[in-house]
Amino acid sequence: MRFSEQQLEKIFLRTSGYCHICHKKLGINNYAAEGKRGAWEVEHSNPQAKGGTHRLTNLYPACIRCNRTKGTKSSRVARAKHGKTRAPLSHLKRRKAKVTNAFKGALLGGVTGIFIAVDVAGALVLVGVLIGYWRNPDAD
Ligand SMILES: [Zn+2]
């Protein structure tokens, strides 16, 4: 099946541009560019051979190796081989998770500061925000 640029972008952003199976970073401009860094293909989570549709909810970006080795296995089985239990967060969910993590980090930093040394509480809040924001939300 051939996808439009718009469809490819939507599929790519479903996982923030990571392979939904192994979580490797993909390059949006390297769609079907075999041999290039971050090359990817559209993967049918529920395989076409098992009645999987071309609807967006069934389509994910995957690195070429994962897509071609998955075959008719389920996404759950394919992800488990890489120690993953779910697809990476979408672009929007990732952004929300980063903000939430930043708040949690601020709270943790502030509370730690109150108990350890009040004069450095502000600095610990800032450290908490930064650690919370930069932490990979897919590690949760
Ligand atoms: Zn992969």
Side-chain angles (χ1 to χ4, degrees), residues 18-24 26 61-67 82:
Y18 292 91
C19 172
H20 86 103
I21 295 170
C22 72
H23 291 204
K24 188 175 102 180
L26 306 170
C63 65
I64 291 177
R65 184 180 178 156
C66 283
N67 184 38
H82 297 275

Side-chain angles (χ1 to χ4, degrees), residues 7-94:
Q7 287 171 314
L8 288 174
E9 188 178 347
K10 279 185 183 172
I11 294 164
F12 188 83
L13 291 177
R14 285 198 73 197
T15 60
S16 305
Y18 292 91
C19 172
H20 86 103
I21 295 170
C22 72
H23 291 204
K24 188 175 102 180
K25 185 72 181 146
L26 306 170
I28 194 164
N29 295 321
N30 286 341
Y31 174 70
E34 199 168 355
K36 290 222 175 152
R37 189 177 176 159
W40 63 288
E41 293 176 328
V42 173
E43 203 281 313
H44 291 72
S45 183
N46 180 23
Q48 288 177 271
K50 291 184 175 175
T53 68
H54 296 304
R55 290 202 183 114
L56 183 63
T57 53
N58 190 42
L59 304 174
Y60 281 105
C63 65
I64 291 177
R65 184 180 178 156
C66 283
N67 184 38
R68 296 185 184 174
T69 56
K70 180 177 172 257
T72 57
K73 289 191 285 287
S74 70
S75 291
R76 181 180 296 194
V77 169
R79 288 174 190 153
K81 285 191 174 177
H82 297 275
K84 310 293 181 190
T85 55
R86 61 171 172 77
L89 296 173
S90 72
H91 189 61
L92 292 175
K93 284 183 179 171
R94 175 173 289 267

